[in-house]
Amino acid sequence: MQKASVLLFLAWVCFLFYTGITLFTSGFLLTRLELTNHSSCQEPPGPGSLPPGSQGKPGACWMASRFSRVVLVLIDALRFDFAQPQHSHAPGEPPVSLPFLGKLSSLKRILEIQPHHARLYRSQVDPPTTTMQRLKALTTGSLPTFIDAGSNFASHAIVEDNLIKQLTSAGRRVVFMGDDTWKDLFPGAFSKAFFFPSFNVRDLDTVDNGILEHLYPTMDSGEWDVLIAHFLGVDHCGHKHGPHHPEMAKKLSQMDQVIQGLVEHLENDTLLVVAGDHGMTTNGDHGGDSELEVSAALFLYSPTALFASTPPEEPEVIPQVSLVPTLALLLGLPIPFGNIGEVMAEVFSGGEDSQPLSSALAQASALHLNAQQVSRFLRTYSAATENLQAKKLHQLQKLFSKASADYQWLLQRPKGAEATLPTVIAELQQFLRGARAMCIESWARFSLSFLLLHLLAAGIPITTSGPFTVPWQAVSAWALMATQTFYSTGHQPVFPAIHWHAAFVGFPEGHGSCTWLPALLVGANTFASHLLFAVGCPLLLLWPFLCENQGLRKRQQSPGNEAEARVRPEEEEEEEPLMEMRLRDAPHHFYAALLQLGLKYLFILGVQILACALAASILRRHLMVWKVFAPKFIFEAVGFIVSSVGLLLGIALVMRVDGAVSSWFRQLFLAQQR
């Protein structure tokens, strides 16, 4: 058997596994088609008249703008309980003392003094809770994909319709300062930008201080319509120290001063939005879907009255993507084409002095525009791909048709609207929430193609005979040792447990704008055990010889061996060649054994990833699927790829050494013949 044949056959088997992993990944993990359609003022989202007051006003589009300017303060990893007002403890109970509690005191003060001007929400984040996916959701209103988590190291420009695109198309001046991830997501979109490197999580102050240097001068200049400031200190403090460290209290106090300063600088036509893109675990990490990771804070404030009612005792829970259609309509912009978020209806109520009927009608108008946009997206998406479930889609479109007809009837008969409006609002909200639930469910469907390819790869005959046969228990033990080493070195197959600090080994000052090097360092740290054991797998060919030597030593140490040696004929005393000398006598057996060993190792790795795929597919509707089963499959898939590449490298290295030894033997024999 030729060397090249062994490597090519193993590479072909690896290709089968790679294909199976790809098919399963595309069928199981959140995947969707990114449409390039864009909303515009010239094309209303659906038939029927636009809301009252939206025609004829300067800057009006689908709906008349409520605000001329917006200040969006994005505090990375601002968990909800970081912003939640601290209530006084009951008598007799010990006070709860945590470094992050009560540090954003300005929010509590504003909510108490101006209850109709401000509102605090618990923003429910869709996993994965990585920054790039959150920024996509906060600008497009769409769901992120789990596969995108790997591209958090190197962001790519967003091609879908988004708020930044709509703002620039409308001629609005967008100024940005902070995390340089936005530079890659929206290249050339900002009229002015101050980018700062974001990946050095050990640096708590450079980005935040850089923003503060430009924030207030930019506001005072007036040369902006939308101002975005993305602070990173809280997130970096969580990664470096955790949320319970005193440094977290300092960073939150600094953010509190920023919010106070912004409130003092706001004009009446400006809306302030303070939001967290995700939360963090008790260790300060994020990426999964634990309660602490998906719970972020969202705070809205306007110098003029914005809400008709006072805040509830417990903040309302809203999906994070709801901010996208809300901001679009408040600014008089079209809602991004692919948005599936539901507008926050209460911000369209008109303030504390508005009449209940006009307030409810304004909310219904905003919801109807939102529902028309989502219905148009579902029709376009279902025509481009068959990912959506046809039965549920038909039911939702039927519900939307009824709600839209009821809304149009209300506009024609305003006298009887007061009794019917709550029903129409409930129908529109039911449609929007059902559409979002259908998209989440449909974009996580399972494909069975993976199983067939794995069975094909696993069913390849891998039994050969010869002196180099490695037993199954040895190969299994070797693969299990690789897994045991992965866990014993402090790793776990979940995103929050990734050792991000490994990105700075040898580079304590950071990497500048380079993204591939820290990604490589983190990957090497995470999958080092897979790589080392795969490269060393060909050493298992020595296993039979080790067992043979141990047996020979035991026989030599036995007391009866001397008597047997006297009786044994001289011709039987000749020993067989051992180790590398036996290799020289049977090179064809050696190459066959290499192929057999490689197939056995791939088979065991394939069984592991097949088990993960089966668990993920069977439990794909389980509550913990995105927290446990999907990350486990991703880690196993990446580990398999790393192990298979390492195995091919190890076998190629052994063949290279074998070739060098064979050449040396030939030279030795030629020298002896001379």
Side-chain angles (χ1 to χ4, degrees), residues 562-597:
E562 295 182 1
E564 291 181 10
R566 296 190 189 98
V567 178
R568 186 184 305 163
E570 293 184 1
E571 60 272 11
E572 294 181 6
E573 291 182 0
E574 184 178 354
E575 295 183 358
E576 294 184 358
L578 298 178
M579 294 292 187
E580 62 274 1
M581 295 308 299
R582 188 179 299 183
L583 170 62
R584 305 271 61 79
D585 293 340
H588 57 286
H589 286 308
F590 175 68
Y591 295 140
L594 273 179
L595 176 61
Q596 177 193 20
L597 176 60

Side-chain angles (χ1 to χ4, degrees), residues 202-275:
R202 297 177 183 272
D203 185 355
L204 309 185
D205 302 312
T206 298
V207 177
D208 293 359
N209 292 341
I211 294 174
L212 294 177
E213 181 182 349
H214 301 283
L215 181 59
Y216 299 114
T218 301
M219 287 193 68
D220 295 336
S221 70
E223 298 177 353
W224 58 277
D225 296 304
V226 175
L227 177 59
I228 304 173
H230 188 166
F231 291 89
L232 291 176
V234 172
D235 178 69
H236 287 187
C237 183
H239 285 298
K240 185 177 181 180
H241 300 293
H244 298 88
H245 195 274
E247 282 294 329
M248 182 61 75
K250 295 181 181 179
K251 293 307 299 183
L252 290 174
S253 298
Q254 183 186 30
M255 294 299 100
D256 188 61
Q257 295 176 5
V258 171
I259 295 172
Q260 292 183 44
L262 289 173
V263 169
E264 295 171 359
H265 281 74
L266 289 182
E267 298 180 357
N268 289 338
D269 63 343
T270 306
L271 174 68
L272 173 64
V273 180
V274 180

Side-chain angles (χ1 to χ4, degrees), residues 305-568:
L306 184 60
F307 301 94
S309 60
T310 57
E313 291 187 8
E314 287 296 326
E316 182 183 354
V317 179
I318 63 166
Q320 188 183 56
V321 291
S322 296
L323 183 62
V324 174
T326 304
L327 286 181
L329 294 183
L330 287 176
L331 290 171
L333 299 172
I335 299 175
F337 190 90
N339 164 75
I340 59 170
E342 173 192 344
V343 292
M344 300 153 62
E346 65 174 340
V347 302
F348 298 92
S349 57
E352 57 182 320
D353 298 329
S354 61
Q355 297 297 321
L357 179 60
S358 61
S359 175
L361 187 59
Q363 295 182 37
S365 299
L367 286 168
H368 184 250
L369 282 173
N370 188 190
Q372 284 183 314
Q373 169 265 317
V374 172
S375 176
R376 181 183 64 178
F377 166 72
L378 293 180
R379 290 196 308 271
T380 307
Y381 190 91
S382 61
T385 180
E386 298 180 355
N387 283 356
L388 300 179
Q389 301 176 33
K391 184 178 179 181
K392 286 192 174 183
L393 180 62
H394 177 72
Q395 293 174 348
L396 285 172
Q397 294 292 9
K398 186 177 179 181
L399 175 62
F400 168 72
S401 298
K402 181 180 183 303
S404 182
D406 292 343
Y407 172 77
Q408 296 296 338
W409 183 86
L410 281 178
L411 294 182
Q412 297 172 4
R413 298 171 179 82
K415 292 184 179 180
E418 190 169 357
T420 316
L421 263 175
T423 303
V424 174
I425 291 176
E427 289 175 344
L428 292 170
Q429 289 177 331
Q430 182 182 357
F431 165 75
L432 290 168
R433 293 167 188 176
R436 181 172 178 271
M438 180 190 67
C439 289
I440 293 176
E441 184 178 359
S442 298
W443 292 336
R445 287 200 293 180
F446 172 64
S447 172
L448 293 174
S449 305
F450 170 82
L451 301 180
L452 177 60
L453 284 176
H454 258 67
L455 291 175
L456 288 175
I460 296 172
I462 53 175
T463 57
T464 61
S465 59
F468 302 100
T469 302
V470 181
W472 275 102
Q473 58 267 30
V475 184
S476 302
W478 193 259
L480 291 176
M481 284 176 63
T483 303
Q484 191 271 341
T485 305
F486 174 82
Y487 287 99
S488 63
T489 51
H491 295 93
Q492 296 181 33
V494 290
F495 292 110
I498 294 177
H499 295 180
W500 299 109
H501 61 271
F504 303 97
V505 174
F507 301 89
E509 302 300 326
H511 304 273
S513 59
C514 179
T515 55
W516 64 266
L517 183 57
L520 181 64
L521 291 173
V522 172
N525 176 272
T526 304
F527 298 102
S529 61
H530 298 76
L531 182 62
L532 292 176
F533 277 86
V535 172
C537 184
L539 296 177
L540 290 177
L541 288 176
L542 302 179
W543 181 278
F545 302 121
L546 293 176
C547 297
E548 184 180 81
N549 285 345
Q550 291 178 359
L552 181 61
R553 289 174 184 174
K554 290 180 180 179
R555 289 195 301 271
Q556 290 175 348
Q557 294 174 0
S558 176
N561 282 348
E562 295 182 1
E564 291 181 10
R566 296 190 189 98
V567 178
R568 186 184 305 163

Side-chain angles (χ1 to χ4, degrees), residues 8-27:
L8 287 175
F9 188 76
L10 288 175
W12 176 74
V13 174
C14 291
F15 174 76
L16 285 181
F17 278 99
Y18 297 160
T19 305
I21 291 172
T22 302
L23 288 175
F24 181 87
T25 300
S26 63

Side-chain angles (χ1 to χ4, degrees), residues 592-605:
L594 273 179
L595 176 61
Q596 177 193 20
L597 176 60
L599 290 175
K600 283 183 177 180
Y601 197 69
L602 289 175
F603 177 83
I604 293 174
L605 296 178

